[in-house]
Structures are given as structure tokens and as C-alpha cells.
Amino acid sequence: MTDSTLDALNQKLDRLIEAVTRLAPPPVPQTDLAGADCFVWQADPGYLEPVRKVNRVDIGLIRGVDRVRDILVDNTERFAAGFAANNVLLWGARGMGKSSLVKAVHATVNASDKLDRPLKLIEIHREDIDTLPKLMGLLKAAPFRFILFCDDLSFDHDDTSYKSLKAALEGGVEGRPTNVIFYATSNRRHLLPRDMIDNERSTAINPSEAVEEKVSLSDRFGLWLGFHKCSQDEYLDMIDGYVRHHGLAIDSETLRAEALEWATTRGSRSGRVAWQFTQDLAGRLGKPLTD
């Protein structure tokens, strides 16, 4: 074999190696758990992406949910301190601050001087629930305690990933790691469509057993915290808190009239509607909203 032939083969091999290298998946980034307090679970390729600036509001601005707020704070403080605590399902009316409360409570607990190490908050997307066992396996040996948070958790008719969640929370052989707790928000208390449960009841050979299978997921949450529609006074109190917090100068009677008109045009009263009105008001006044 001549030298020129060998050179040609080597060039082809080099090009082949380069092409194969480009096809190979990139290495999984290494997560520094000490580098941030909040992360987002990226199921593919399987790492925790740090969140440098968390989208949340001060806990004092979340009004009309005092009872559930205190329960969630107490449960979170006990968990962060290393004591027994429950998985939590925050369910109920939309826009009443379920996800905002989880993030605010996390910040409040970390702001105390009682913890040796900060509590970590990890968001897992609804579509990645079936990778929850993998995530828990990564966290169980870490020297921190973690809240796994899934916002707007629910399941459709043909979705079987709820079985993975059931096993990961309480039902698996290994069980939930002691340094991990699961918080979820949902508009539905039982996480599955009502017609799905009713269909199981009407078509199954043993209806009661079929229904038990569907509703038992919610039983994995030791705390059910209900959020209900707010009253007019609570709605106005929310807006008053936002206006004072952001330093928006407006006459109280004008504020009340405009706030009620805004709620009427939206057809509902909630914390989300109050915040949307505040954003609109700040824009009309030409005032920036404080962080």
C-alpha cells in the first residue's frame, strides 16, 4: 500500500471520526447545588438548571389565604429543619396564588436564621413527571433538602404517568428520600378528569376498585390545601397591598372604582386579576414596578 493511499484512508477516517463526534450527544452539564437555591429539572439530558432570578412575590402581598399560608409555612419549616413533613397538594380556584405561595414560602423559610443549609426548590414540568424517580435518585445523596415543585399538575384520559408519581411519592420499594418533599398545584383536587373517574365507575367490572385506583393519587399528599374564590373586600385588599408596595399614587375612591370595573370586565376576582390590574395601573401612571 502506497503512502498516498494511506494518507487518503487517514483523511477519510478523520472525517468519519469528526462526523460521529458531531452526532454524539453533548456531555451532561454538572450542577453545582450550592450555587443557587432554585433549579429547573431538564429531563433530557437529565440535569438541574440553576435559576438566578426567581419570579416570585413577597409573602406579605399574598392576601386572602392566611390559613393555608400558615399551614404551608409550618410544614415547610419542619421539613427544612429535618423533621417529618407531608407532601402538599394546593388545589382550587385559578389565580388565587397557589404557585406564588409555594415560591414565597420557600424564600421566607430560607430568610430565617434557623437553617444550617438553605432549602432548595426544584421545579419539574408536568410532562416530565415520569422522570421523577430518576431525579429523586440524583438528589437522595445530596447534603441539602429539596422541595420538588410541579405547577398545574393534572392528567388526561390516556395518561398513565400518574402511576410513576404514585410510586415515587409513597408506593415504591425504596420510598421517597428523606431529604425530598413534593409540592404540587392543581385546579382539581383529584388530579384526574371527573368524567374519567365516572367512566371507570360505569364500565369496570368492579367499579369501586377502578375508582379507587384513579383517586388514590391524591391520597399520596398528606396535606390538601384548598384555595377558593375571594370576596370583593379581599380582592380590594390585594390591590391596596400591591399599590402601596409599588408606590403608586392614586386617590382611594378612584382606585376602588377602577378596580371593581376591572374585575367586572374580567368576570372574576382573584389575586391574578388584582395583579393584572396593578400592572395596567402602573403603566397608565407611567410608574415602574419594583422588584
Side-chain angles (χ1 to χ4, degrees), residues 33-94:
L33 291 174
D37 287 343
C38 294
F39 300 86
V40 175
W41 170 240
Q42 301 294 346
D44 186 14
Y47 78 103
L48 293 168
E49 180 180 0
V51 179
R52 302 303 178 188
K53 183 175 175 60
V54 181
N55 177 29
R56 59 183 162 203
V57 299
D58 186 85
I59 196 170
L61 295 176
I62 303 176
R63 309 290 180 88
V65 292
D66 295 358
R67 174 61 176 162
V68 294
R69 177 200 62 202
D70 293 343
I71 294 174
L72 188 63
V73 168
D74 179 65
N75 191 73
T76 307
E77 286 179 337
R78 285 190 279 115
F79 173 72
F83 301 114
N86 277 301
N87 299 315
V88 183
L89 174 63
L90 300 88
W91 67 277
R94 66 185 188 276

Side-chain angles (χ1 to χ4, degrees), residues 3 99 120 126 132 181 203:
D3 291 342
S99 60
K120 306 295 181 178
R126 156 68 192 84
L132 188 58
I181 201 169
T203 60

Side-chain angles (χ1 to χ4, degrees), residues 11-266:
Q11 291 176 5
K12 291 181 179 179
L13 285 173
D14 289 339
R15 288 197 297 270
L16 178 60
I17 293 171
E18 183 180 353
V20 171
T21 302
R22 287 198 301 268
L23 292 174
V28 178
Q30 296 298 311
T31 301
D32 178 16
L33 291 174
D37 287 343
C38 294
F39 300 86
V40 175
W41 170 240
Q42 301 294 346
D44 186 14
Y47 78 103
L48 293 168
E49 180 180 0
V51 179
R52 302 303 178 188
K53 183 175 175 60
V54 181
N55 177 29
R56 59 183 162 203
V57 299
D58 186 85
I59 196 170
L61 295 176
I62 303 176
R63 309 290 180 88
V65 292
D66 295 358
R67 174 61 176 162
V68 294
R69 177 200 62 202
D70 293 343
I71 294 174
L72 188 63
V73 168
D74 179 65
N75 191 73
T76 307
E77 286 179 337
R78 285 190 279 115
F79 173 72
F83 301 114
N86 277 301
N87 299 315
V88 183
L89 174 63
L90 300 88
W91 67 277
R94 66 185 188 276
M96 281 303 296
K98 297 184 290 294
S99 60
S100 295
L101 185 59
V102 172
K103 292 179 286 187
V105 166
H106 169 253
T108 299
V109 171
N110 269 351
S112 69
D113 56 359
K114 302 177 182 177
L115 304 180
D116 296 330
R117 291 191 177 96
L119 179 65
K120 306 295 181 178
L121 179 68
I122 299 176
E123 181 176 13
I124 179 171
H125 299 304
R126 156 68 192 84
E127 57 270 20
D128 296 328
I129 282 295
D130 57 351
T131 68
L132 188 58
K134 177 182 178 181
L135 174 57
M136 287 185 170
L138 294 175
L139 299 178
K140 64 182 178 181
F144 298 99
R145 301 182 75 79
F146 302 92
I147 297 174
L148 300 189
F149 171 51
C150 183
D151 190 25
D152 198 20
L153 178 63
S154 62
F155 299 93
D156 297 326
H157 292 78
D158 300 325
D159 193 343
T160 60
S161 60
Y162 73 91
K163 296 182 179 181
S164 298
L165 178 57
K166 285 172 60 177
L169 291 182
E170 299 292 348
V173 173
E174 191 173 14
R176 174 170 54 89
T178 57
N179 65 333
V180 174
I181 201 169
F182 192 81
Y183 287 4
T185 70
S186 177
N187 293 332
R188 296 195 294 247
R189 184 174 61 176
H190 287 301
L191 302 178
L192 296 162
R194 185 71 220 180
D195 57 346
M196 181 180 179
I197 297 174
D198 291 339
N199 183 62
E200 290 285 359
R201 181 181 287 112
S202 63
T203 60
I205 296 176
N206 192 324
S208 62
E209 288 184 0
V211 174
E212 285 292 325
E213 164 70 13
K214 299 303 181 185
V215 303
S216 63
L217 173 58
S218 296
D219 292 339
R220 296 317 202 260
F221 295 89
L223 284 178
W224 292 3
L225 302 181
F227 289 69
H228 309 287
K229 294 180 179 179
C230 63
S231 66
Q232 177 174 293
D233 289 341
E234 289 172 333
Y235 167 72
L236 293 173
D237 186 42
M238 293 172 187
I239 289 178
D240 184 61
Y242 282 132
V243 167
R244 285 188 285 105
H245 178 76
H246 294 289
L248 304 179
I250 183 173
D251 175 74
S252 59
E253 290 301 319
T254 303
L255 176 64
R256 175 185 174 87
E258 292 185 359
L260 292 178
E261 181 183 3
W262 183 273
T264 301
T265 59
R266 292 300 305 274

